[in-house]
Structures are given as C-alpha cells and as structure tokens.
Amino acid sequence: MKKKQIVTVVFALSGLLTSVAACGAEQPSPPTSGGHMSSPGAATGWAAKVSGDPYAVYKSADLLAISSAFNELRYKCLGENGYPQFLQVLPAQKANSFRNMEETPDFAATFASYGELPWFASEQDARAKGYGLPAQALAPTVMTMDPAIGPVMNDCTKKSLAAVGDRDGTIQNYTELGNTLAGSMGSITDKAKGDLTNQVLACMNKGKYPVDPNGANRNNDWNVDFLVPLGVQPQQPNREDSGTNGNAVIITPAIPAKPYVPTKEESESAAAMYHCSVETGAHDEWLNDIHQAEATAISQNEAALDELNPKITALAKTASAALQGHGK
C-alpha cells in the first residue's frame, strides 16, 4: 500500500544536549494531504463540539509555535556566543517553523498522515501521484563535531527553555497527549494494510490493470508488481552524507524537493486503484473508521484536553512575547 511517513514526535525541550554531532538534524516531514470525513460519530463532549475533524481540538499550531520560538531563541543565543553560522541558517529554518528537525512536534501533519486515504483521495490525486513518493526539501542547517559547542549549547538550551516559561512539564505532557491521539489510529492503519487493501487489489485483478504479488517488479511500498513501467523514485535527502572536517563548523546547503513523476501507464493503474477503492466500499469504510477512531480518542482524552489546552495556549503567548523581547 501507499507508504506513509508516520512520525511519533518526542518534544526535546527538556533534554539538554551535552555533545553535538549534527546541530539541527533534519528529516523529511510527514505528508500533510489527508482526507477527513463527514461521517456521523457517536462521540460526546469535545468530539461532539467539532465538525468534520475531531482532532482540530488539539492545539497543534500552538505547540508548533512554542517549539519554533524555543529553537529561534536557541539559534540566536548560539549565534551571539561564538557560532554565527546559526544566524545564517535561521531565516530558512524559521520560515518552515523548524519542521525539518526530527524533534519538532508537527502533530497537524502527523494526524493528517494517519488520516490520508491509502488508495488516493481522488482520481486526479491518483494520476498525479502514482505509486512513488517525492523527495522532501531540506532547509540549510549547521553541522559540527566541535566539542567546545557542548557547554554553549547547554547554556543556550537552558536559557531558551526558561524564556518559554514551562515550569510544570506542560509541553512534555501535551506532546505525550499528541502521541496518544496519533497512536489511537494505528489499528485503523493496520486494517487498511490488510482486509481493505486486499479487497482493492482483488478488484484491480478483475480489470485492465491487475497486480502480481509474486512478480519480479514488486514495488517496495505495496509489495506487489503493478505490471506497468513505474517512474524513477527520487532519493530522499540524507544529511549524514554531508560529513564534517575535524572540528569545523559547516553549513549544509538547502536541498530542494524533487517530484516523483509517474509514467502514463502508472497513472492509469493508480486511477484504477482509486476507482476500485470506491467500488469495493473500502474508501468510505476507511473514512468512517478514521472518523470513529478520532472521535473516540478525543472523548477518551477529554479531561486532559480540558486541562492542558488553556495551558498550552498561554505558553504560546509567553513564547511569542519572549521572542519579541529578545535583545531589548
């Protein structure tokens, strides 16, 4: 099936770095295109108050803003204390809210990636995407093996964390809540990998674009041979290949995104997959199951949302004020 980049995010503000091999290590963000649904649920409380997307009650944007403010303050501190390279990459990192960093809590994208239809959201979507994945863009970052940066990094991390103003573990607790909500959809993903996808592939085998689970050209994501020529999969960027020279502090350049371009035959096959998902009922069953899983998870965590949502919104305001006051 279509491979998703699902990330369990661990917010690392409370962890102080003692050594740095790659400052601002990056990874591609999970995809954000996902279909949410209008199927009715039986939820009460928080979930009943939300139309369409129950997970909208989770303050993903506020948590991301806090993370971005923390990192901006940390980069500025590093730049002002002997490592100006961090100031050079700051505009590009800030423009994307530091989403390329693996510890950035972008739960809006994480939730969307769980909800994304495995067999494409529409015929147009299927024809455009095919069976491959684009290579994600990466912003420039700083890499060094200089041991002298350790104490500076620790000090800047402490100061930036203090400026954000989290004194009772709200950030970590809210991140754990986000992981809980994301994890609640895991069983639905497993179902799609099994029965529903089998129904879709069986439907394809009755039409013009069959698949062969034992073919020589099995696609790694779906583990079947689509029996049509596929596009060239662009290589995902890897910062580990950049390397450093001794204790030098280097800036790795930005890496642009590279699209995946399906072949004409592949686009036709993918369109057939989409139509089979509709014809078999897998499409609607998936949306209904996702909606129910989201609504249930929100209802089960209503008390935590009631407690933490006002705190995380207040912290977002504190973090914004700390940024505005920096240097004054």
Side-chain angles (χ1 to χ4, degrees):
M1 65 178 296
K2 193 75 171 177
K3 184 179 180 181
K4 307 186 193 74
Q5 295 170 319
I6 309 295
V7 178
T8 301
V9 182
V10 178
F11 202 25
L13 292 192
S14 58
L16 303 184
L17 302 178
T18 56
S19 63
V20 178
C23 302
E26 299 173 336
Q27 69 179 28
S29 301
T32 57
S33 60
H36 280 284
M37 55 310 295
S38 58
S39 306
T44 58
W46 267 111
K49 301 173 187 175
V50 181
S51 174
D53 181 8
Y55 275 26
V57 301
Y58 183 85
K59 303 290 185 179
S60 301
D62 284 344
L63 185 60
L64 181 62
I66 294 167
S67 170
S68 182
F70 164 79
N71 279 304
E72 183 174 348
L73 290 168
R74 186 164 60 108
Y75 272 41
K76 287 180 176 178
C77 177
L78 288 163
E80 294 160 0
N81 288 276
Y83 295 92
Q85 297 86 351
F86 284 90
L87 296 179
Q88 292 176 249
V89 304
L90 178 58
Q93 289 282 358
K94 180 181 176 182
N96 195 34
S97 299
F98 298 85
R99 283 183 175 92
N100 289 145
M101 295 173 58
E102 62 182 5
E103 64 266 28
T104 297
D106 187 4
F107 278 106
T110 300
F111 296 155
S113 68
Y114 271 105
E116 186 178 13
L117 279 155
W119 321 283
F120 308 104
S122 65
E123 179 179 339
Q124 181 181 8
D125 182 53
R127 291 183 181 277
K129 290 180 178 177
Y131 297 121
L133 290 172
Q136 302 294 322
L138 291 182
T141 191
V142 179
M143 299 185 72
T144 182
M145 295 294 291
D146 181 10
I149 198 175
V152 181
M153 179 68 75
N154 284 340
D155 185 58
C156 287
T157 300
K158 290 177 182 178
K159 289 179 179 178
S160 301
L161 184 59
V164 169
D166 182 18
R167 295 178 176 82
D168 61 358
T170 294
I171 293 171
Q172 186 61 38
N173 291 337
Y174 205 66
T175 301
E176 292 173 358
L177 176 59
N179 285 329
T180 296
L181 295 176
S184 295
M185 301 164 76
S187 61
I188 306 304
T189 301
D190 291 341
K191 180 178 180 181
K193 289 178 179 178
D195 293 343
L196 294 182
T197 293
N198 288 338
Q199 293 175 31
V200 173
L201 296 180
C203 170
M204 292 179 70
N205 281 334
K206 298 176 183 178
K208 291 176 58 178
Y209 294 96
V211 301
D212 183 355
N214 300 311
N217 235 359
R218 289 195 296 273
N219 178 278
N220 288 332
D221 294 340
W222 294 85
N223 200 32
V224 297
D225 188 339
F226 288 106
L227 304 176
V228 295
L230 303 179
V232 177
Q233 177 65 54
Q235 184 178 359
Q236 294 292 341
N238 188 351
R239 291 296 193 189
E240 293 178 3
D241 295 336
S242 300
T244 56
N245 183 13
N247 293 338
V249 182
I250 66 171
I251 295 176
T252 62
I255 300 176
K258 292 183 180 179
Y260 175 81
V261 181
T263 66
K264 180 179 178 180
E265 296 89 345
E266 180 181 356
S267 291
E268 294 294 337
S269 174
M273 174 178 279
Y274 166 73
H275 286 297
C276 275
S277 75
V278 175
E279 292 169 14
T280 60
H283 180 281
D284 288 343
E285 187 171 347
W286 168 265
L287 294 182
N288 182 68
D289 287 351
I290 286 292
H291 179 81
Q292 294 294 339
E294 289 179 325
T296 299
I298 292 297
S299 294
Q300 291 174 343
N301 291 279
E302 184 175 344
L305 286 161
D306 282 334
E307 176 190 356
L308 295 174
N309 272 0
K311 292 182 179 181
I312 210 71
T313 297
L315 280 177
K317 294 178 180 179
T318 301
S320 177
L323 271 182
Q324 294 175 10
H326 179 78
K328 292 183 178 179

PDB file of all heavy atoms in Angstrom, residues 238-253:
ATOM      1  N   ASN A 238      19.735  12.925   2.619  1.00  0.00           N
ATOM      2  CA  ASN A 238      20.314  12.373   3.841  1.00  0.00           C
ATOM      3  C   ASN A 238      21.454  13.265   4.293  1.00  0.00           C
ATOM      4  O   ASN A 238      22.492  13.345   3.639  1.00  0.00           O
ATOM      5  CB  ASN A 238      20.819  10.948   3.588  1.00  0.00           C
ATOM      6  CG  ASN A 238      21.266  10.256   4.865  1.00  0.00           C
ATOM      7  OD1 ASN A 238      21.364  10.877   5.917  1.00  0.00           O
ATOM      8  ND2 ASN A 238      21.534   8.977   4.761  1.00  0.00           N
ATOM      9  N   ARG A 239      21.268  13.929   5.432  1.00  0.00           N
ATOM     10  CA  ARG A 239      22.291  14.826   5.949  1.00  0.00           C
ATOM     11  C   ARG A 239      23.530  14.072   6.435  1.00  0.00           C
ATOM     12  O   ARG A 239      24.604  14.633   6.547  1.00  0.00           O
ATOM     13  CB  ARG A 239      21.736  15.644   7.124  1.00  0.00           C
ATOM     14  CG  ARG A 239      20.693  16.667   6.725  1.00  0.00           C
ATOM     15  CD  ARG A 239      21.269  17.735   5.818  1.00  0.00           C
ATOM     16  NE  ARG A 239      20.358  18.856   5.678  1.00  0.00           N
ATOM     17  CZ  ARG A 239      20.503  19.849   4.838  1.00  0.00           C
ATOM     18  NH1 ARG A 239      21.535  19.856   4.024  1.00  0.00           N
ATOM     19  NH2 ARG A 239      19.643  20.829   4.764  1.00  0.00           N
ATOM     20  N   GLU A 240      23.380  12.795   6.742  1.00  0.00           N
ATOM     21  CA  GLU A 240      24.510  12.034   7.267  1.00  0.00           C
ATOM     22  C   GLU A 240      25.648  11.955   6.252  1.00  0.00           C
ATOM     23  O   GLU A 240      26.794  11.727   6.614  1.00  0.00           O
ATOM     24  CB  GLU A 240      24.056  10.621   7.656  1.00  0.00           C
ATOM     25  CG  GLU A 240      23.097  10.609   8.834  1.00  0.00           C
ATOM     26  CD  GLU A 240      22.631   9.202   9.162  1.00  0.00           C
ATOM     27  OE1 GLU A 240      23.108   8.260   8.499  1.00  0.00           O
ATOM     28  OE2 GLU A 240      21.817   9.039  10.077  1.00  0.00           O
ATOM     29  N   ASP A 241      25.304  12.123   4.977  1.00  0.00           N
ATOM     30  CA  ASP A 241      26.329  12.058   3.939  1.00  0.00           C
ATOM     31  C   ASP A 241      27.157  13.338   3.852  1.00  0.00           C
ATOM     32  O   ASP A 241      28.158  13.379   3.144  1.00  0.00           O
ATOM     33  CB  ASP A 241      25.672  11.798   2.574  1.00  0.00           C
ATOM     34  CG  ASP A 241      25.002  10.429   2.532  1.00  0.00           C
ATOM     35  OD1 ASP A 241      25.399   9.545   3.306  1.00  0.00           O
ATOM     36  OD2 ASP A 241      24.074  10.275   1.723  1.00  0.00           O
ATOM     37  N   SER A 242      26.721  14.391   4.567  1.00  0.00           N
ATOM     38  CA  SER A 242      27.396  15.681   4.437  1.00  0.00           C
ATOM     39  C   SER A 242      28.769  15.651   5.094  1.00  0.00           C
ATOM     40  O   SER A 242      29.741  16.143   4.557  1.00  0.00           O
ATOM     41  CB  SER A 242      26.534  16.791   5.052  1.00  0.00           C
ATOM     42  OG  SER A 242      25.290  16.869   4.409  1.00  0.00           O
ATOM     43  N   GLY A 243      28.842  15.070   6.300  1.00  0.00           N
ATOM     44  CA  GLY A 243      30.122  14.950   6.984  1.00  0.00           C
ATOM     45  C   GLY A 243      30.653  16.288   7.457  1.00  0.00           C
ATOM     46  O   GLY A 243      30.159  17.356   7.100  1.00  0.00           O
ATOM     47  N   THR A 244      31.660  16.245   8.295  1.00  0.00           N
ATOM     48  CA  THR A 244      32.329  17.450   8.766  1.00  0.00           C
ATOM     49  C   THR A 244      33.829  17.229   8.711  1.00  0.00           C
ATOM     50  O   THR A 244      34.304  16.102   8.741  1.00  0.00           O
ATOM     51  CB  THR A 244      31.909  17.798  10.209  1.00  0.00           C
ATOM     52  OG1 THR A 244      32.183  16.665  11.063  1.00  0.00           O
ATOM     53  CG2 THR A 244      30.445  18.150  10.296  1.00  0.00           C
ATOM     54  N   ASN A 245      34.564  18.306   8.648  1.00  0.00           N
ATOM     55  CA  ASN A 245      36.014  18.251   8.570  1.00  0.00           C
ATOM     56  C   ASN A 245      36.599  18.610   9.932  1.00  0.00           C
ATOM     57  O   ASN A 245      36.687  19.786  10.288  1.00  0.00           O
ATOM     58  CB  ASN A 245      36.518  19.207   7.486  1.00  0.00           C
ATOM     59  CG  ASN A 245      38.024  19.140   7.317  1.00  0.00           C
ATOM     60  OD1 ASN A 245      38.667  18.226   7.816  1.00  0.00           O
ATOM     61  ND2 ASN A 245      38.576  20.121   6.614  1.00  0.00           N
ATOM     62  N   GLY A 246      36.976  17.581  10.707  1.00  0.00           N
ATOM     63  CA  GLY A 246      37.513  17.828  12.036  1.00  0.00           C
ATOM     64  C   GLY A 246      36.497  18.529  12.914  1.00  0.00           C
ATOM     65  O   GLY A 246      35.345  18.108  13.003  1.00  0.00           O
ATOM     66  N   ASN A 247      36.927  19.609  13.553  1.00  0.00           N
ATOM     67  CA  ASN A 247      36.039  20.366  14.430  1.00  0.00           C
ATOM     68  C   ASN A 247      35.401  21.556  13.722  1.00  0.00           C
ATOM     69  O   ASN A 247      34.856  22.454  14.360  1.00  0.00           O
ATOM     70  CB  ASN A 247      36.818  20.869  15.656  1.00  0.00           C
ATOM     71  CG  ASN A 247      37.256  19.723  16.551  1.00  0.00           C
ATOM     72  OD1 ASN A 247      36.672  18.646  16.507  1.00  0.00           O
ATOM     73  ND2 ASN A 247      38.281  19.957  17.357  1.00  0.00           N
ATOM     74  N   ALA A 248      35.480  21.575  12.410  1.00  0.00           N
ATOM     75  CA  ALA A 248      34.932  22.700  11.659  1.00  0.00           C
ATOM     76  C   ALA A 248      33.425  22.803  11.850  1.00  0.00           C
ATOM     77  O   ALA A 248      32.726  21.809  12.026  1.00  0.00           O
ATOM     78  CB  ALA A 248      35.249  22.546  10.178  1.00  0.00           C
ATOM     79  N   VAL A 249      32.942  24.009  11.840  1.00  0.00           N
ATOM     80  CA  VAL A 249      31.501  24.268  11.885  1.00  0.00           C
ATOM     81  C   VAL A 249      31.073  24.608  10.468  1.00  0.00           C
ATOM     82  O   VAL A 249      31.511  25.620   9.905  1.00  0.00           O
ATOM     83  CB  VAL A 249      31.162  25.426  12.837  1.00  0.00           C
ATOM     84  CG1 VAL A 249      29.659  25.634  12.907  1.00  0.00           C
ATOM     85  CG2 VAL A 249      31.738  25.167  14.221  1.00  0.00           C
ATOM     86  N   ILE A 250      30.239  23.768   9.876  1.00  0.00           N
ATOM     87  CA  ILE A 250      29.867  23.974   8.481  1.00  0.00           C
ATOM     88  C   ILE A 250      28.366  24.159   8.336  1.00  0.00           C
ATOM     89  O   ILE A 250      27.593  23.715   9.182  1.00  0.00           O
ATOM     90  CB  ILE A 250      30.324  22.799   7.586  1.00  0.00           C
ATOM     91  CG1 ILE A 250      29.556  21.516   7.967  1.00  0.00           C
ATOM     92  CG2 ILE A 250      31.829  22.579   7.685  1.00  0.00           C
ATOM     93  CD1 ILE A 250      29.779  20.380   6.995  1.00  0.00           C
ATOM     94  N   ILE A 251      27.986  24.814   7.262  1.00  0.00           N
ATOM     95  CA  ILE A 251      26.573  24.967   6.910  1.00  0.00           C
ATOM     96  C   ILE A 251      26.289  24.053   5.732  1.00  0.00           C
ATOM     97  O   ILE A 251      26.912  24.179   4.675  1.00  0.00           O
ATOM     98  CB  ILE A 251      26.244  26.426   6.546  1.00  0.00           C
ATOM     99  CG1 ILE A 251      26.433  27.330   7.766  1.00  0.00           C
ATOM    100  CG2 ILE A 251      24.814  26.534   6.014  1.00  0.00           C
ATOM    101  CD1 ILE A 251      26.210  28.797   7.469  1.00  0.00           C
ATOM    102  N   THR A 252      25.395  23.130   5.928  1.00  0.00           N
ATOM    103  CA  THR A 252      24.992  22.274   4.812  1.00  0.00           C
ATOM    104  C   THR A 252      23.958  23.038   3.987  1.00  0.00           C
ATOM    105  O   THR A 252      23.069  23.685   4.544  1.00  0.00           O
ATOM    106  CB  THR A 252      24.391  20.960   5.307  1.00  0.00           C
ATOM    107  OG1 THR A 252      23.213  21.227   6.073  1.00  0.00           O
ATOM    108  CG2 THR A 252      25.387  20.208   6.179  1.00  0.00           C
ATOM    109  N   PRO A 253      24.064  22.997   2.682  1.00  0.00           N
ATOM    110  CA  PRO A 253      23.155  23.797   1.849  1.00  0.00           C
ATOM    111  C   PRO A 253      21.741  23.250   1.855  1.00  0.00           C
ATOM    112  O   PRO A 253      21.494  22.096   2.239  1.00  0.00           O
ATOM    113  CB  PRO A 253      23.781  23.680   0.455  1.00  0.00           C
ATOM    114  CG  PRO A 253      24.513  22.373   0.490  1.00  0.00           C
ATOM    115  CD  PRO A 253      25.042  22.231   1.890  1.00  0.00           C
TER     116      PRO A 253
END
